């Protein structure tokens, strides 16, 4: 799949952030039980609106109200999975952007099958940690992706291979690695954006990764997919870095992170964001 | 339905608050997945006891232990809905008060039907935001209630019409609007109580509305329905206002609000509560 | 069942804490909806890793990745219960330790039956509050255990009787009471360890008891069952006491408790822990 040809910059990130605050996109979250509360608070603090409409009876109907959808495989149940399928189908049919978060898909058989199936439905974005991206890319092969390194740098190849099915892939971690493709006059280019993550407390706050997936979905409602993924990660990283400076333990980090998601300004992106973008050599 | 003929005053609010702290009513919560944790903590901080017994196997049995019940339609599943039906039936049969929180009932078909059905079972109280109250009142008609203003002042007519099925209706928002009816010697009077909400951070903390519904249920166990609704909203507003004075972002508001729910004193109601009550003109 | 013959000491607690921080055991949590988020954050702050794999499709498969399992009956659903059964069976078959937390098992019929059934599968540890331990022990009789005192001292007899089915029983409360059995050369001894709980705010933070059950599971992955239970309760009590010194309300206690779980040092156990152990007279 081909994304926009516009390459993200600090200016386009700041622009997306302002659009998010103004339009407060409504994000339908079909997600795991651990994340529901924190994810909703992350979206609210960041400037978006959450709606956890996740039953099979209403999931497709609600897609019409939503501006975007996130599908997260953290704690799937039969009913949740049914709701995911219906929401994905509807989102595709009325062209609402949706994000796939394939938690542990490489490690467990049932969700692995589900993730592979969802991937065929062509999510707008795939977001996961390095192991999950490697695991998802390897689902057709024998690779499990469970023992793999957690360094997102090792997931770049896997991420690029997933671009067959999606516009943008993010492997988040200490340094988030975001891979996308542009096309100008039949000339394809691959890009790698890197964003420094902001705090070593993130992995100690449960659902912080899942909630980033929801924020990516929120940004897909206000800008092109590549810029959306980069902007969501940038918003997260800047808030995380500001929060990190004020605390020394996870209980406080959770609170300060919500505060800073809410407070982030255009200037903060310029002051705190560590962001680079490069063309990927497709050797 | 007819409530008590006693009109709430600051004194009756303070009295209800003291009764709550002394008797620690046990509130059975059949509620959405986003709210379960925060709702339990709100009840605990406010002085009540939560019990999230929400499966069809135990919901009716537990009503006998509970002092009141809250039924919240935020993320319904087939099993939750079955539990709600059984708990409502049992609550009515042994006369335990119960509160209906019809989240988004005007906007989505399945829960709209459910809310209309539950309304016929005559909840003690209906609590929602303005759109939800308008949506619920319009369920018999073609009105959807989704595009309506969020100003509770616009929900007063809808709230009054719902009094056919319940004792008290609350449309909460920046200024909470609470509508009830009294009857003395065949003479019916309608009342409108207004409580200023306390903080613009409430809508940025997910499940803060749902948890208010649970606190209303807690108060119905210790005082008459009209006074219960007013007292719960007053407790919330005073704690919210005190918390608001100390913070500048949602992460901190959530924490300080729980602190202040716990700390509210009789004097605080006198110092911070902005409360008025008037007879409604039924022209 | 017979536990190790090693009796816990401050030194063995500190040793277990260091092992936990180094090995970061992966705990599979099949638990109630109220607790999922806080439980995950408690495990992360304490130094362990949570995984809420709780569906029947994956529960048994995941036991192979997990270092231990906690099964909590707080809000059972048909699917959760099915997952619990499969996980318990697998844990027993490949000898992974697992903890049973029988929330309200003495009071409600369905979960009472389930708890009795799970008990027959011989959990490594049973953890509950006093009423729950008394209720669980009484399930074969007519005792309900719902009106019983909340003082763990009254649960010691019930706890001892449960040792037929498990290595260690903890009745937690203001003073946690932990009962275990040792056997040397056919000579059985019963032991009672007591740990002062640390803060009266614990009961005002929902899922703090449930999360202690998960932390017990984490410790069973790094030390013998008796030392694991004592170490988890000690870690909790020391963090709770340190947090208590800094706060005056439940919203702040929740945050500071997570901070202190993360910060606890070997010296803190020596400074703050109030711990005793005695031989139980089996008259």
């Amino acid at each position: 799949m081909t994304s926009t040809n516009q390459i993200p910059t600090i200016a386009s990130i700041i622009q997306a952030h302002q659009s998010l605050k103004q339009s407060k996109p409504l994000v339908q979250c079909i997600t795991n039980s651990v994340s529901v509360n924190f994810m909703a608070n992350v979206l609210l603090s960041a400037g978006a609106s959450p709606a956890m409409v996740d039953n099979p009876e209403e999931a497709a109907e609600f897609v019409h109200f939503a501006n975007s959808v996130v599908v997260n495989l953290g704690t799937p149940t039969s009913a949740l999975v049914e709701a995911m399928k219906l929401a994905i189908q509807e989102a595709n049919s009325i062209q609402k952007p949706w994000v796939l978060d394939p938690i542990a898909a490489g490690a467990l058989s049932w969700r692995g099958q589900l993730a592979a199936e969802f991937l065929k439905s062509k999510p707008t974005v795939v977001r996961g940690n390095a192991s999950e991206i490697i695991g998802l890319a390897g689902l057709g092969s024998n690779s499990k992706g469970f023992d793999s390194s957690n360094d997102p740098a090792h997931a770049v190849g896997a991420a690029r291979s997933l671009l067959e099915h999606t516009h943008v892939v993010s492997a988040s971690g200490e340094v988030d690695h975001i891979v996308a493709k542009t096309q100008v006059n039949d000339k394809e280019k691959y890009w790698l954006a890197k964003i420094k993550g902001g705090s070593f407390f993130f992995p100690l706050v449960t659902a912080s990764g899942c909630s980033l997936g929801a924020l990516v979905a929120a940004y897909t409602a206000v800008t092109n997919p590549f810029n959306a993924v980069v902007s969501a990660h940038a918003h997260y990283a800047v808030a995380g870095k500001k929060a990190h400076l004020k605390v020394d333990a996870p209980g406080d980090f959770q609170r300060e992170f919500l505060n800073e998601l809410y407070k982030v300004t255009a200037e903060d992106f310029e002051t705190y964001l560590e962001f680079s973008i490069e063309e990927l050599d497709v050797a």
Side-chain angles (χ1 to χ4, degrees), chain A:
Chain A
M1 285 165 87
T2 307
S3 180
T4 175
N5 298 324
Q6 193 189 322
I7 304 306
T9 59
I10 297 273
S12 73
I13 291 168
I14 291 171
Q15 175 61 47
H17 178 241
Q18 285 169 341
S19 301
L20 185 89
K21 301 282 264 189
Q22 277 158 21
S23 65
K24 297 186 185 305
L26 180 60
V27 183
Q28 181 175 4
C29 307
I30 309 184
T31 188
N32 66 75
S33 56
V34 188
S35 69
V36 276
N37 185 277
F38 190 66
M39 184 181 285
N41 280 330
V42 161
L43 289 174
L44 288 168
S45 285
S49 289
M52 273 62 186
V53 180
D54 61 1
N55 61 62
E57 288 83 357
E58 303 176 321
E61 183 182 6
F62 196 80
V63 172
H64 292 257
F65 296 117
N67 298 108
S68 58
V69 182
V70 62
V71 167
N72 175 303
L73 278 169
T75 59
T77 63
S78 319
L80 268 185
V81 166
E82 185 61 21
M84 290 172 183
K85 289 179 181 173
L86 294 165
I88 289 171
Q89 191 177 13
E90 199 74 8
N92 280 344
S93 108
I94 61 173
Q95 290 180 297
K96 296 277 171 94
W98 64 283
V99 174
L100 176 62
D101 203 331
I103 311 279
L108 288 164
S109 337
W110 185 47
R111 69 180 70 188
Q113 261 184 292
L114 293 168
E117 183 186 332
F118 293 170
L119 197 59
K120 284 189 202 147
S121 299
K122 301 210 175 292
T124 313
V125 176
V126 174
R127 189 219 73 87
N129 64 32
S131 299
E132 287 158 0
I133 296 305
I134 294 168
L136 186 62
L139 278 171
S141 76
N142 282 327
S143 162
K144 277 280 189 180
F146 201 77
D147 300 327
S148 69
S149 152
N150 281 316
D151 184 348
H154 298 163
V156 170
R160 210 180 53 201
S161 77
L162 290 171
L163 289 180
E164 193 185 336
H165 306 288
T166 185
H167 291 294
V168 192
V169 177
S170 151
S172 51
E174 210 175 304
V175 176
D176 303 323
H177 283 58
I178 297 160
V179 176
K181 187 169 69 170
T182 59
Q183 185 160 2
V184 182
N185 305 332
D186 291 342
K187 188 164 158 56
E188 282 183 346
K189 288 190 181 179
Y190 289 84
W191 302 90
L192 171 61
K194 294 183 198 168
I195 294 176
K196 193 128 180 282
S199 172
F200 57 73
F201 287 123
F202 275 123
L204 297 185
V205 175
T206 197
S208 57
C210 303
S211 302
L212 173 54
L215 190 60
V216 167
Y219 272 98
T220 61
V222 299
T223 185
N224 72 69
F226 192 11
N227 197 44
V229 179
V230 167
S231 299
H233 286 67
H235 193 162
Y236 235 61
V238 168
K241 193 180 286 189
K242 290 181 68 189
H244 191 96
L245 295 171
K246 299 186 180 172
V247 306
D248 66 352
D252 274 316
F253 180 73
Q254 184 178 344
R255 172 182 61 79
E256 275 298 350
F257 176 60
L258 289 175
N259 288 344
E260 295 298 340
L261 273 179
Y262 173 78
K263 291 181 182 172
V264 164
T265 62
E267 293 69 40
D268 287 334
F269 286 107
E270 279 155 1
T271 309
Y272 295 101
L273 185 61
E274 294 176 75
F275 166 65
S276 71
I277 193 159
E278 62 194 272
E279 202 179 327
L280 255 191
D281 196 18
V282 218

